[in-house]
Amino acid sequence: QLGQLKPFLQTTFLVMFYSAALFLAIGTFMISANGTTTYGVILSGFLFALLLECYWCCQLVDRLNEVNTQIGILLCSLDWPVELQYTKATASRYRQARSSLLIM
């Protein structure tokens, strides 16, 4: 399901990032052109919140990429022939390992 949403999320994040950069540029220009006014203070607060939101989104994506890499490393380091041998004694462990792999 995440694979189906991936193109949408890439486009959405791209639009959000560049619109934030545009808002920052316009807001900074307006604050520098008009000087310190009440509107400028409110606008600077909005721009700060926008920067913070972009930073949090970037951090979230970085953390998800790190977790994805760690999961891949752990999956590749499993002892596949030992974990996935089916015998009557290890039937429950076989099912557990198989269901875990299917989830991942």
Side-chain angles (χ1 to χ4, degrees):
Q1 290 178 355
L2 188 60
Q4 293 173 347
L5 287 176
K6 192 173 185 178
F8 173 73
L9 293 175
Q10 287 175 345
T11 306
T12 304
F13 182 74
L14 189 68
V15 168
M16 185 185 85
F17 179 75
Y18 283 114
S19 64
L22 181 66
F23 282 142
L24 286 171
I26 292 171
T28 305
F29 173 75
M30 289 178 68
I31 290 172
S32 63
N34 294 335
T36 306
T37 62
T38 306
Y39 176 73
V41 172
I42 293 170
L43 184 62
S44 64
F46 170 73
L47 294 176
F48 178 75
L50 198 61
L51 269 175
L52 203 56
E53 182 180 359
C54 282
Y55 172 75
W56 283 335
C57 286
C58 290
Q59 285 291 19
L60 178 65
V61 169
D62 286 343
R63 287 181 185 170
L64 284 174
N65 284 334
E66 288 173 8
V67 168
N68 186 23
T69 303
Q70 290 172 356
I71 289 173
I73 290 169
L74 288 174
L75 281 176
C76 289
S77 67
L78 280 178
D79 195 9
W80 296 97
V82 173
E83 290 292 325
L84 291 178
Q85 286 181 354
Y86 183 80
T87 61
K88 289 188 178 187
T90 62
S92 66
R93 187 172 180 188
Y94 173 81
R95 283 195 281 300
Q96 182 183 10
R98 189 177 168 120
S99 66
S100 296
L101 289 174
L102 286 173
I103 290 170
M104 291 183 206

